[in-house]
Amino acid sequence: MNKALEKLKIIQELCTRHNIKISTAESCTGGFISKLITDQSCSSDYYNGSIIAYSNEVKVNILKVPHEDIIKYGAVSEEVSFLMAQGLLNTIDCNIAISATGIMEKGKAKDSKNPQVFITTKSDNHHISSHYYLHGNRYKNRQNTTNHALDCLYDFIHKNYLVS
């Protein structure tokens, strides 16, 4: 987690310096990203909050992800990740929304999907979605997803908010 904490300190500095507010919509991580952010002093200077949308009901009722899209694409999909981020931007006042939806461990059924996550980082004008396969246990996959989300946020800020 040291790499994540180092990256988070840089993110905090960039967000504070450029008056960027972020929020998170988390499904598979269950608040792990927001916990790591709020463990840092002065995180309220740039972090506005989180919606833990673990169930499809929360995705639909709070983040306004259309139920038809969850049926069509699956809760673990790039499309739903994008719609979660969009819903967050419409729900919480922020400049950048980060969403994560995925599977943290292989199910017991033969046809269960492999552990994977979709992360979307979105502002009003830009977005990027990423897909990662995960190879650890449930806890390690949550940690790795959090690291991926922070990497995505860092890259998004550099690409869209900083002038070289």
Side-chain angles (χ1 to χ4, degrees):
M1 250 320 135
N2 285 341
K3 178 187 167 214
L5 294 178
E6 290 172 20
K7 181 82 59 156
L8 191 52
K9 287 181 193 242
I10 296 168
I11 290 168
Q12 181 173 11
E13 178 188 317
L14 291 171
C15 287
T16 303
R17 184 176 342 134
H18 296 281
N19 199 30
I20 299 168
K21 299 288 185 183
I22 64 169
S23 293
T24 57
E26 301 182 60
S27 181
C28 57
T29 51
F32 204 74
I33 299 167
S34 60
K35 182 218 178 296
L36 193 63
I37 291 170
T38 58
D39 279 349
Q40 306 303 304
S41 296
C42 301
S43 57
S44 62
D45 291 345
Y46 72 100
Y47 185 68
N48 278 356
S50 178
I51 294 174
I52 299 173
Y54 201 69
S55 72
N56 289 343
E57 180 181 343
V58 174
K59 290 175 182 74
V60 170
N61 293 332
I62 296 177
L63 293 175
K64 305 303 181 198
V65 174
H67 181 70
E68 303 78 37
D69 287 339
I70 293 174
I71 299 300
K72 181 176 181 179
Y73 301 111
V76 178
S77 64
E78 181 177 340
E79 293 82 2
V80 169
S81 178
F82 174 86
L83 292 166
M84 287 172 62
Q86 182 61 54
L88 187 65
L89 284 172
N90 294 336
T91 304
I92 296 179
D93 182 32
C94 61
N95 305 101
I96 301 173
I98 309 155
S99 69
T101 184
I103 300 167
M104 294 293 104
E105 64 187 340
K106 181 97 168 143
K108 293 183 181 5
K110 277 186 183 181
D111 61 346
S112 64
K113 292 183 180 180
N114 289 322
Q116 58 188 293
V117 66
F118 289 89
I119 298 169
T120 296
T121 311
K122 186 172 183 343
S123 65
D124 285 336
N125 300 318
H126 306 285
H127 84 277
I128 185 143
S129 294
S130 303
H131 178 234
Y132 302 95
Y133 283 99
L134 304 166
H135 305 288
N137 63 35
R138 185 176 184 81
Y139 184 77
K140 190 67 175 168
N141 287 341
R142 288 177 71 206
Q143 283 184 318
N144 288 338
T145 296
T146 299
N147 286 332
H148 289 314
L150 293 177
D151 287 342
C152 291
L153 175 60
Y154 177 85
D155 293 343
F156 189 84
I157 292 169
H158 274 278
K159 181 177 180 184
N160 296 296
Y161 288 87
L162 304 182
V163 178
S164 317

